[in-house]
Amino acid sequence: MQHCIVQVVLDTPLDFYFDYRYPVEAENFPVPKIGMLVVVPFGRREEAGLIVDVKEESEIDENKLKDVVSVISEIPPLRTDWIDLCRFAAGYYQRPLGEVALPSIPKNIRANKKLALKRAVKALVQVPGNIVATNMEKPVLLKAQEQAVSAIVKTRGFKPFVLYGVTGSGKTEIYLQAIEEKLKQSDAMQVLIMVPEINLTPQLEVSVRSRFPGVTIATLHSRLTESERLKNWLQIHTGVARIVLGTRLAILASMPQLGLIVVDEEHDPSYKQQEGLRYSARDLAVWRANQLGIPVVLGSATPSLESWQHVLSGRYVKLELPERAVKDAVLPAIRLIDATREPLQNGFSPSLINAIKRRLEKSEQSLLFLNRRGYAPVITCEACGWISVCERCTAYMVYHKSHHLLRCHHCGLERPIPRVCPDCGNIDLQTLGRGTQRIEEGLAGYFPDARILRIDADSTRKKGSLEAALEMVHKGEIDIVIGTQMISKGHDFQNMTLVGVLNPDTALFSHDYRAGERLFSQLMQVAGRAGRGGVSEHGNRSEVLIQTRYPMHPLYQAALTHDYGNYVSDLLMERQNAGLPPFGFQVLLFAEARKVENALDFLRQAIDAIPEPEAVIINEPIPMAMMRIANVERAQLLIESTSRGRLQGMLKEWIPVLRNMKTGIRWHIEVDPMSI
C-alpha cells in the first residue's frame, strides 16, 4: 500500500512534530490535508493529532514510523490561518504548538466520540437560515456614538480602535449597530464579541439575540457542558454561527469568516489566562485582527495602560464617548468619607447609613461593594494570638458563618470552626475584618425591613443562581445589593442610585505595581452602576460614597472627578521612569517544590543558563508573596528588557536548555505577567 508522510502535533509538552505514515487511496482515508484531525498511536495509547504538514519522505527511518489509525472525517479541516494563530501563540508564550492547538478543540472531538460527533453534525442541518435585518426599534444614537459606528463599519483592513467611553455611554449599542452593518456586508461574515467573565455572557447574549432574532449565535465559555461546547464549536467552525460570544478561550476558536472582533472591558485582567498556556486574549485578538486584515474594537471606560499608550503613540485609534447615552443620565457624584474623622461601626460610616436610608425612603436601590467574600477574613484568639492559618498555604482560612466552617480560598481546604482555641483552650474566639456575609448581617441590623441580597461566588454557586439574583435586582424586588467584583461591571441597573465602596484601601499598599491601576478601574466600574436610568423621579443625582482612611491620596482625588486621563498620564510617567510595562517587557519563571530552598536553587541554576545575560535585566530569585499553596512552595525569577524582540530571542534559546535540566522541579514561564 502506498503511503505519504504526515507531520502531526499532539497535546504533549514535547516541542516538536511527529511523523506518521498515512495510507494513500485507502478506504476511509481521504486525501491528506493540512488542518485535518487524525487519530495516531502514541506510546501505549491512541491520541488525536493535527496535521501541520504533508511530505513524501521522512528524515526518520520509515521502519520506525507508525501508521495513522483513522481520520476524524466528520470535522472539516482547520484553516491554515487558524494554525498560524496557534503557532504565533505557541512561539510568543513559549509552549509547544500541540499544547495550544489541541486543547482549543472540544474534548468530544479529540476523544473521537463518533456518536456525539454524528449528533452534533446532524444538528447543524437543522439550524434555521440567517436573517440579518431586524424590525426591532433601535435607540437613537448620540453624535459621538454615530461617529464611532461609522468609523468601525467603514474600515477596510486592519485597524485597532479603543472605544473609550464613560460607564453608561452606550458602548454595547455601538457594538450591536456596528455588528449589524458588518453582517450586511457579507452573507458569510462572522463577528466575535468577547467579555472578561462568564457571568457577563448571559446578559449580553439576551441583548444580542433580541437584536438578531434570525441569526445563529453561539457562545463559548468554560461552564458549557461537553456536548454544548461541541455543538457551539461546530456551528462556529463551519460558519453556521454568524455571531460568537465568549470569554477569553473564544479567541482560539476556529472562525473561517471572521470580519470583526470586539473586546469588551478590554482592561480586565481576566483576559489573561493564569494556568497552562498563559496567554492574553486581548493581545491575541489584536494579532488575529492584524493577521486577517479586519478591525478590532477594544472597549472600556478605563482602558489598560498598554492600550492607552498605543493611542498616544498613534498605533491605535481612540473613539471617545464623553457622555452617558440615556437622556438626563449624568455620572454620579463621588464623595469621599474620611474614616479617620467619621469612625466606622460594623463597617459602616454614619454618612453611608444615612444615605442608604434616604434611598430606601424613595424606593431606590443601593449597592454596597466589598471585594472580599465570606464572613470574616480570619478568626483569632486574643489570649494567645492564635490565628486561623491554612495548614497547607501561607494564607488565612476565611470564616464562612452560614456554613459554620473555615475555608481556604486558595487550596479549598475546609475545617469546622474550633470550639476553643487550638493552642490555649480559650473559648472566646474573635473575628477580624469583614467579608460580604458579615456586611449582610450588619446591614440587616440597621434595616430589618429592607430586602437585602448578597451576590458573590458563595451565593451563586448553583447553576442559574446568578441569573436569578440579577433578575430580582432588575425587577426591583431588591432594595440593597451587597457584592464583590462580579457585579461591578457590565450590569445595567436602572433604579440603582447609590453605590457604597467599603474598605478599598488595601490595594494602595500592595506589592503589585498594577494594584493602583486596577483599583481606579474598579472604582470607576462600580461607580458606573449608579444613575444609569437618568435622574431619579425625585430629581436626585446618583452618588457614590467611598469610605477611606486616605482621602487625599491622588488615586481618590482623581476618582472624585472621574478623571481617568490625568490619572493615567501620571501612571504612565511613573512606569516610564521605572522601565515598567508598557515601556518595558517582562517574563517570570516560576518554580515549585516541596521546599522553597529547592525552588530557589533551581532558579539560580536557570540564571546561569541564560544566554547573553548582559542583554536583559535579571532580578534576584525570591519566594512568591503567596509562598505555599496546597503544601507546594513557590519561588519566582523576574527578567526584564527594554526590547520585546531581544527578550523573545533570549527565551527561544533559554527554554530548550531549561527543558533539558534534570532537577525534578516543576516550573513554567509567563510572558507579559499581569501580577508580580
Side-chain angles (χ1 to χ4, degrees):
M1 181 181 294
Q2 286 187 322
H3 294 84
C4 66
I5 305 298
V6 292
Q7 288 196 313
V8 175
V9 292
L10 303 170
D11 184 9
T12 76
L14 301 174
D15 193 12
F16 48 80
Y17 302 159
F18 299 89
D19 284 5
Y20 287 91
R21 292 188 302 181
Y22 186 98
V24 179
E25 298 179 355
E27 187 177 358
N28 297 326
F29 280 86
V31 176
K33 296 179 181 178
I34 293 174
M36 283 174 50
L37 294 168
V38 292
V39 178
V40 297
F42 187 71
R44 296 183 179 180
R45 62 187 188 275
E46 293 181 350
E47 293 278 339
L50 173 70
I51 295 178
V52 293
D53 198 7
V54 180
K55 307 188 299 182
E56 292 185 1
E57 296 180 355
S58 173
E59 296 178 0
I60 301 172
D61 185 349
E62 191 167 333
N63 294 325
K64 296 181 179 180
L65 296 181
K66 297 180 179 180
D67 294 333
V68 172
V69 175
S70 63
V71 177
I72 306 179
S73 55
E74 295 87 352
I75 309 302
L78 292 137
R79 289 165 54 105
T80 55
D81 61 74
W82 179 82
I83 297 175
D84 289 341
L85 169 70
C86 294
R87 187 174 280 115
F88 167 78
Y92 187 80
Y93 295 107
Q94 304 300 319
R95 304 289 291 199
L97 175 57
E99 283 193 334
V100 178
L102 273 301
S104 64
I105 298 169
K107 193 176 293 184
N108 283 347
I109 296 177
R110 287 179 279 140
N112 198 23
K113 294 187 176 181
K114 294 293 184 183
L115 183 58
L117 288 174
K118 287 180 180 178
R119 287 176 176 171
V121 171
K122 185 178 180 181
L124 289 176
V125 182
Q126 302 171 359
V127 174
N130 292 319
I131 305 171
V132 173
T134 175
N135 295 324
M136 179 179 176
E137 185 175 341
K138 292 178 288 190
V140 177
L141 298 180
L142 300 176
K143 184 177 180 180
Q145 289 178 299
E146 287 181 350
Q147 292 172 342
V149 172
S150 177
I152 297 167
V153 171
K154 291 180 179 179
T155 295
R156 298 294 182 268
F158 170 65
K159 184 175 285 188
F161 294 100
V162 172
L163 185 60
Y164 168 50
V166 297
T167 52
S169 57
K171 291 186 287 293
T172 300
E173 186 59 34
I174 290 174
Y175 302 153
L176 295 175
Q177 296 206 20
I179 288 168
E180 181 172 345
E181 295 302 315
K182 277 290 183 181
L183 292 181
K184 289 178 181 178
Q185 293 177 3
S186 167
D187 292 336
M189 184 180 291
Q190 294 174 298
V191 172
L192 169 62
I193 314 171
M194 291 200 300
V195 292
E197 297 178 15
I198 293 172
N199 61 54
L200 295 179
T201 308
Q203 179 174 313
L204 182 58
E205 186 176 355
V206 169
S207 299
V208 175
R209 289 193 185 279
S210 62
R211 184 63 63 87
F212 303 99
V215 176
T216 302
I217 299 166
T219 59
L220 279 180
H221 53 76
S222 59
R223 286 188 190 165
L224 296 176
T225 64
E226 287 303 325
S227 59
E228 289 172 334
R229 187 182 177 198
L230 173 60
K231 182 193 73 171
N232 293 3
W233 187 91
L234 272 177
Q235 288 181 343
I236 299 166
H237 174 57
T238 57
V240 171
R242 303 284 304 284
I243 300 176
V244 181
L245 304 178
T247 51
R248 61 176 176 259
L249 61 83
I251 192 58
L252 290 172
S254 169
M255 290 172 274
Q257 301 295 331
L258 187 58
L260 172 66
I261 302 176
V262 172
V263 185
D264 193 28
E265 309 291 359
E266 65 88 22
H267 66 278
D268 199 292
S270 297
Y271 281 120
K272 184 67 184 292
Q273 173 77 8
Q274 293 300 319
E275 57 187 30
L277 174 68
R278 288 166 166 77
Y279 65 95
S280 164
R282 179 200 64 208
D283 294 349
L284 285 184
V286 175
W287 191 92
R288 192 170 190 179
N290 186 28
Q291 174 202 28
L292 300 176
I294 62 174
V296 56
V297 181
L298 310 177
S300 177
T302 54
S304 63
L305 263 67
E306 287 80 3
S307 296
W308 195 262
Q309 178 58 26
H310 285 322
V311 167
L312 296 178
S313 67
R315 292 186 61 189
Y316 292 2
V317 177
K318 182 173 70 172
L319 303 173
E320 189 166 357
L321 307 175
E323 56 185 331
R324 287 190 153 178
V326 175
K327 184 180 180 182
D328 297 328
V330 295
L331 290 172
I334 296 181
R335 186 157 63 90
L336 303 176
I337 298 175
D338 188 344
T340 62
R341 297 185 176 183
E342 197 171 331
L344 308 183
Q345 294 183 346
N346 299 319
F348 305 100
S349 62
S351 293
L352 180 57
I353 292 298
N354 290 333
I356 296 173
K357 183 179 179 180
R358 289 194 298 270
R359 301 295 168 173
L360 287 173
E361 291 171 350
K362 296 167 184 173
S363 299
E364 296 171 2
Q365 294 174 314
S366 301
L367 167 64
L368 298 184
F369 174 75
L370 175 64
N371 206 22
R372 179 181 286 161
R373 59 192 173 100
Y375 184 84
V378 66
I379 62 173
T380 184
C381 172
E382 294 183 345
C384 71
W386 173 85
I387 296 179
S388 56
V389 175
C390 176
E391 61 201 57
R392 305 194 304 185
C393 307
T394 46
Y396 298 122
M397 298 193 77
V398 177
Y399 175 30
H400 287 256
K401 187 175 182 179
S402 57
H403 295 92
H404 200 67
L405 54 78
L406 295 171
R407 178 183 297 144
C408 176
H409 289 174
H410 299 278
C411 72
L413 180 68
E414 294 183 350
R415 290 284 185 264
I417 305 297
R419 295 179 181 273
V420 298
C421 173
D423 287 354
C424 71
N426 177 28
I427 62 172
D428 188 19
L429 298 179
Q430 302 294 321
T431 57
L432 292 179
R434 289 174 176 80
T436 50
Q437 293 178 14
R438 192 173 184 181
I439 291 298
E440 180 183 22
E441 180 181 275
L443 203 60
Y446 283 109
F447 305 106
D449 297 327
R451 297 168 296 178
I452 301 171
L453 179 66
R454 172 170 54 88
I455 301 180
D456 57 23
D458 297 315
S459 67
T460 58
R461 288 189 171 189
K462 294 182 180 179
K463 187 174 182 179
S465 58
L466 175 61
E467 291 79 4
L470 293 173
E471 185 65 20
M472 292 173 66
V473 180
H474 286 297
K475 287 183 177 179
E477 298 172 0
I478 301 299
D479 299 315
I480 307 171
V481 181
I482 305 165
T484 56
Q485 64 178 357
M486 65 192 305
I487 61 164
S488 67
K489 55 202 168 195
H491 302 295
D492 192 7
F493 303 128
Q494 291 293 302
N495 194 37
M496 192 77 67
T497 58
L498 172 67
V499 169
V501 181
L502 313 178
N503 194 26
D505 291 341
T506 52
L508 299 178
F509 307 101
S510 170
H511 63 277
D512 187 354
Y513 68 89
R514 294 183 188 268
E517 173 189 358
R518 289 176 182 160
L519 175 58
F520 189 88
S521 174
Q522 209 167 58
L523 291 176
M524 292 299 96
Q525 291 292 332
V526 72
R529 299 316 102 204
R532 298 175 74 91
V535 176
S536 70
E537 61 183 63
H538 300 92
N540 295 318
R541 184 180 178 185
S542 298
E543 60 181 340
V544 177
L545 305 182
I546 302 174
Q547 296 183 162
T548 174
R549 298 180 64 85
Y550 309 96
M552 298 311 295
H553 193 283
L555 186 149
Y556 293 134
Q557 290 299 309
L560 281 175
T561 55
H562 304 265
D563 195 350
Y564 176 77
N566 280 339
Y567 177 68
V568 81
S569 294
D570 293 339
L571 280 184
L572 284 172
M573 189 177 300
E574 291 176 6
R575 298 275 184 90
Q576 189 169 21
N577 292 336
L580 293 171
F583 302 99
F585 306 95
Q586 300 175 326
V587 63
L588 275 174
L589 172 61
F590 298 95
E592 299 178 349
R594 285 297 176 184
K595 294 184 177 180
V596 72
E597 292 81 7
N598 296 338
L600 290 169
D601 286 343
F602 167 78
L603 295 178
R604 295 186 188 103
Q605 295 175 44
I607 290 175
D608 294 336
I610 293 177
E612 300 184 33
E614 65 280 356
V616 294
I617 301 170
I618 304 171
N619 294 276
E620 277 291 313
I622 58 172
M624 294 182 63
M626 184 69 64
M627 187 185 75
R628 186 175 68 255
I629 292 183
N631 288 327
V632 176
E633 299 193 344
R634 312 179 305 159
Q636 67 182 28
L637 169 66
L638 174 65
I639 299 175
E640 302 173 278
S641 176
T642 56
S643 167
R644 190 195 300 271
R646 191 177 302 157
L647 188 60
Q648 281 288 319
M650 183 277 289
L651 290 175
K652 284 178 170 56
E653 293 184 45
W654 189 40
I655 300 300
V657 178
L658 294 180
R659 287 182 178 140
N660 289 327
M661 291 173 62
K662 307 297 183 183
T663 63
I665 300 293
R666 290 184 58 187
W667 60 272
H668 63 265
I669 285 281
E670 181 172 358
V671 179
D672 301 335
M674 290 298 294
S675 60
I676 297 176

